Amino acid sequence: MSKTTATSFNPQAAPKIPPLPDFPSQEKVESYLSSHPSAWKIYSELSADLKQELIDFCTGKHGLKVTYDPVFRRIFNPSLCHSRLEALLSAILAHPLRIIKVIPREGMQLNEQTSFVVIDVLIQLDDGSFANVEMQKIGYNFPLARADCYASDIIMRQYSQARQEQGKTFSFQNLHKVYCIILMEKSPQEFRSVKNKYIHRRTSSFDTNIYQNSSGLHEDIFICLDSFHSIVHNITKDSTYLEAWLTFLSATDTETITSLIDAFPCFAAIYQEITDFVKNPEELMNMLSEALYIMDKNMERMMVTELQDEVNALMAERNTVMAERDSAMAARDSAIAERDSIKAEYLAVNAKLQRILDYLKLHGYQDEA
């Protein structure tokens, strides 16, 4: 970990504090919310499931999902607090680093309004490399192609800027690496099919083993939180910082949260910040309302995507059936044509035979024939 990160997340630096709110009952929670009219109005409009999730959070039964869009943005916003994202990236990339610049998304050519991305931030690190960090609620059907497009776009932005700044002294060797780091709450089947693996790293290489020390200008790191949560069940002081961070991102049960804080007290301050959302019920309800809206839109998009996939599959099946039908009809037509040809040949042979017989009869060879 870098000095900045180590200072901000020193395991001995944070006091042990209750990780969750402690309202004694649902009635107390609702009484508290009703004293804040705007918060109560939003609460009244929430779905039954989200209401129950809020009640369980406020009564300390489980934590608030960090992967909710507004919660994640609040905790990891690099413009407000570099150290948390630095610590997470240091754990993922396995070396100390420092964020020196947050690059705005304005002007980016890739803008997917129908994505399931919670946060998508582009930053530059102290070694000159770039990191595109995404948190996805639902993994894409084609995450590799999407990662390639994002990496290519960032590389081309870097290339254009370097050419403009360096002029004739420009060299491709001066371009910096781009890391595409994709955290997925629900990963695609291809990733989950790999047993006992929750991190998948992709680099470019030659099949002849040349340039083994160079992986090209970009590296993709896919982290499957659902797979991690099914593999790593216990967090102790012997766990790694990466395991601690991924537990923080994926766990909501009180027992795991308590174990995480016991093993890594540095997370207590972040949980306290999440708990403090209750002190501002209007903000908390707005966050949950926004989360519900985004979940609804994502569900709608997912249903549309699934329906489109079903339509595409049915169209492909229809086309296959039509092709088989056309092939069968062609075979039938070919058989009919062959039958007609054989019949015509038979008639021709028969006619020729009859002419010969008529000739023999005419010349008195009937008895011998």
Side-chain angles (χ1 to χ4, degrees), residues 62-329:
H62 65 64
L64 195 64
K65 280 188 177 181
V66 177
T67 52
Y68 278 148
D69 308 54
V71 179
F72 193 93
R73 290 199 304 265
R74 172 73 173 271
I75 293 171
F76 287 101
N77 189 335
S79 299
L80 300 177
C81 181
H82 277 190
S83 61
R84 291 173 184 170
L85 194 53
E86 286 175 345
L88 176 60
L89 291 179
S90 294
I92 293 172
L93 298 178
H95 63 77
L97 56 81
R98 186 170 59 87
I99 296 173
I100 62 173
K101 185 191 300 182
V102 179
I103 302 173
R105 278 296 184 189
E106 288 79 3
M108 290 291 286
Q109 296 177 356
L110 299 177
N111 182 20
E112 298 180 83
Q113 297 298 329
T114 60
S115 70
F116 299 118
V117 176
V118 174
I119 191 170
D120 184 6
V121 60
L122 176 60
I123 54 180
Q124 187 171 19
L125 307 178
D126 52 355
D127 63 355
S129 62
F130 296 84
N132 183 72
V133 185
E134 294 183 6
M135 177 67 212
Q136 295 182 1
K137 296 289 289 182
I138 303 173
Y140 284 80
N141 289 330
F142 304 100
L144 303 185
R146 186 175 183 278
D148 286 340
C149 289
Y150 260 65
S152 298
D153 189 56
I154 298 167
I155 290 171
M156 287 307 299
R157 290 183 72 191
Q158 182 187 179
Y159 165 80
S160 298
Q161 183 177 351
R163 284 299 298 260
Q164 184 177 1
E165 293 175 353
Q166 299 172 19
K168 294 182 179 180
T169 63
F170 168 79
S171 171
F172 284 99
Q173 300 301 320
N174 295 333
L175 295 179
H176 297 287
K177 193 165 190 172
V178 174
Y179 296 97
C180 284
I181 300 171
I182 298 94
L183 295 133
M184 296 180 288
E185 182 177 347
K186 181 176 175 57
S187 54
Q189 175 60 34
E190 288 85 351
F191 290 91
R192 287 184 280 115
S193 65
V194 182
K195 301 298 183 183
N196 298 320
K197 293 289 184 181
Y198 53 86
I199 297 182
H200 306 268
R201 302 176 189 268
R202 184 174 68 137
T203 59
S204 59
S205 61
F206 286 93
D207 59 356
T208 53
N209 294 326
I210 61 174
Y211 292 101
Q212 294 188 50
N213 296 325
S214 175
S215 58
L217 278 178
H218 79 93
E219 179 178 339
D220 302 326
I221 304 173
F222 293 89
I223 302 177
C224 309
L225 296 179
D226 48 356
S227 296
F228 169 80
H229 199 52
S230 66
I231 295 170
V232 179
H233 302 288
N234 300 311
I235 290 295
T236 68
K237 292 181 180 180
D238 294 327
S239 300
T240 66
Y241 261 96
L242 178 57
E243 291 172 334
W245 274 110
L246 298 186
T247 298
F248 172 73
L249 291 173
S250 61
T252 58
D253 61 286
T254 306
E255 182 179 354
T256 302
I257 291 174
T258 302
S259 297
L260 176 61
I261 293 177
D262 286 343
F264 297 85
C266 51
F267 286 93
I270 309 180
Y271 279 111
Q272 183 62 53
E273 186 174 322
I274 296 174
T275 299
D276 287 345
F277 289 158
V278 175
K279 295 180 181 179
N280 189 341
E282 287 84 359
E283 181 183 16
L284 174 62
M285 298 313 302
N286 282 325
M287 290 171 63
L288 289 178
S289 178
E290 181 185 355
L292 178 62
Y293 171 78
I294 294 172
M295 283 192 296
D296 286 345
K297 296 299 292 183
N298 283 348
M299 186 59 65
E300 177 185 334
R301 291 164 187 158
M302 183 174 67
M303 290 176 65
V304 169
T305 299
E306 289 178 347
L307 287 173
Q308 186 60 55
D309 290 343
E310 185 176 349
V311 168
N312 292 339
L314 288 173
M315 289 182 66
E317 184 177 354
R318 184 198 65 180
N319 292 338
T320 299
V321 171
M322 290 179 65
E324 290 176 351
R325 182 203 65 182
D326 292 344
S327 177
M329 290 179 66

Side-chain angles (χ1 to χ4, degrees), residues 21-26 28-30 32-33 55 57-60 278:
D22 55 357
F23 282 85
S25 66
Q26 176 174 339
K28 290 293 184 181
V29 175
E30 292 184 336
Y32 174 68
L33 292 176
I55 295 299
F57 168 63
C58 291
T59 54
V278 175

